[in-house]
Amino acid sequence: MTTAVTERAASPVNTRRPRPPKAKKDWRGWQFAGPFAIVFVLVFIAPLVYALWLSLFQNRMIGGTVFVGLDNYTTALADPQFWDGFGRVLLFLVVQVPIMLLLALAAALAIDSARLYATGLFRLVIFLPYAVPAVVAVLMWGFIYGDNFGLAADLNRLLGTDVITPFASNWILASLGNIVTWEYVGYNMLIFYSALKTIPHELYEAAEIDGARPVHVLKAVKLPAVRGALVIATIFSIIGSFQLFNEPNVIQPLANNVITTSFTPNMYAYNLSFAGQQYNYSATVAIVMGVITAAIAYAVQLRGTRREDR
């Protein structure tokens, strides 16, 4: 009897709690996100995967389509036409983007200052060029730039000289930059103006009590508030500059001897595919340009985020 009690006492006690029943998965969230996920896969992931697949092959006269691995990428990285176009859009980015963003920031600050008359009309006039379709805007400026017609030709005839030559090889990049700036200043202005409207009025009241001048309010209140918006606008502008296509492609018939088929990397990839039937190499050029664009945009984002955290 004593032995049985001792064995029971020595036996380990089962202290495990019963497992709760597994909760059923709730799929209601996917009912809302599902349509977007399907469209995202069809219009973004699937074309990207297909482009990657195409870039691994070559279509040869003898042997047809053959797998070549990374040979297309090696060719693209050593292609002078690709790097000439890349250098062109890089120069376009370095010069045009700061000018555009400064103009947009100045317009946003002017509207937010409440010292302008008819600020609603002023904001609409600046934003209106962004509402014009890109092709229409480029055609309009193309006819203004024309050497034998339009405003540039009329001014040259009036002055009796050929000083104004927007389609000259040394001016074509500036002419395109003027078009892009005219198109997107209003868009970036709206981003900055939206950021300025989020500033609490208490900050302005505190600055006024402290006797801060408008310049001090600008430096200590307004510019820090638009820093995040400036990073976003810069990233968008970098991506847009590296994707430069519509403006030079539409202007090309008017400046045929200046704008070549490889004027920008996107034009180069487009003409390789649709004019040269080199789909595999075209996909390779597009992927290489996409990777470079993503890397630079990500670096700018990291730098901007670190400054904002400080």
Side-chain angles (χ1 to χ4, degrees), residues 284-300:
T284 306
V285 171
I287 291 171
V288 171
M289 195 62 203
V291 170
I292 294 174
T293 303
I296 294 176
Y298 184 66
V300 172

Side-chain angles (χ1 to χ4, degrees), residues 6-243:
T6 305
E7 290 178 356
R8 290 179 184 177
S11 63
V13 180
N14 187 7
T15 58
R16 295 181 181 177
R17 296 180 181 179
R19 294 182 180 179
K22 292 183 179 180
K24 295 182 179 179
K25 292 184 178 180
D26 192 351
W27 298 97
R28 286 177 294 181
W30 280 105
Q31 294 177 4
F32 293 96
F36 167 78
I38 293 172
V39 173
F40 180 77
V41 170
L42 291 177
V43 305
F44 182 78
I45 300 298
L48 183 60
V49 172
Y50 183 61
L52 286 170
W53 175 260
L54 283 178
S55 67
L56 302 177
F57 293 84
Q58 281 184 2
N59 189 7
R60 298 175 178 175
M61 295 183 63
I62 301 176
T65 303
V66 295
F67 179 80
V68 294
L70 300 178
D71 287 356
N72 287 330
Y73 291 95
T74 304
T75 305
L77 293 175
D79 191 344
Q81 288 183 294
F82 170 75
W83 289 113
D84 285 345
F86 177 80
R88 202 171 286 114
V89 294
L90 184 62
L91 176 62
F92 181 88
L93 164 66
V94 171
V95 176
Q96 185 268 336
V97 169
I99 294 174
M100 177 181 64
L101 295 182
L102 285 175
L103 290 175
L105 181 59
L109 291 172
I111 295 172
D112 186 67
S113 66
R115 296 185 180 183
L116 293 176
Y117 294 101
T119 55
L121 179 62
F122 183 73
R123 184 168 63 246
L124 178 63
V125 169
I126 295 178
F127 183 75
L128 189 60
Y130 179 71
V132 178
V135 175
V136 175
V138 178
L139 285 174
M140 180 183 69
W141 279 99
F143 289 118
I144 292 175
Y145 287 159
D147 296 334
N148 300 320
F149 52 83
L151 182 60
D154 292 340
L155 290 176
N156 284 332
R157 282 192 290 267
L158 179 64
L159 299 174
T161 182
D162 293 332
V163 176
I164 305 175
T165 55
F167 288 153
S169 58
N170 55 337
W171 285 106
I172 188 64
L173 209 59
S175 301
L176 294 173
N178 179 62
I179 297 174
V180 175
T181 303
W182 181 82
E183 287 179 309
Y184 290 99
V185 161
Y187 173 78
N188 292 290
M189 177 270 297
L190 195 61
I191 295 176
F192 298 147
Y193 181 68
S194 300
L196 290 171
K197 298 306 290 183
T198 62
I199 301 176
H201 290 284
E202 290 80 3
L203 292 179
Y204 293 115
E205 294 175 357
E208 185 177 357
I209 293 173
D210 292 340
R213 296 181 179 180
V215 177
H216 298 150
V217 174
L218 174 64
K219 292 182 179 180
V221 178
K222 292 188 175 182
L223 291 182
V226 301
R227 187 173 296 165
L230 183 61
V231 173
I232 294 174
T234 303
I235 293 172
F236 287 167
S237 301
I238 289 172
I239 296 172
S241 297
F242 283 133
Q243 290 181 345

Side-chain angles (χ1 to χ4, degrees), residues 243-262:
Q243 290 181 345
L244 188 65
F245 176 79
N246 283 334
E247 289 77 12
N249 193 56
V250 175
I251 289 289
Q252 186 180 17
L254 302 176
N256 194 25
N257 296 327
V258 177
I259 298 180
T260 61
T261 56
S262 59

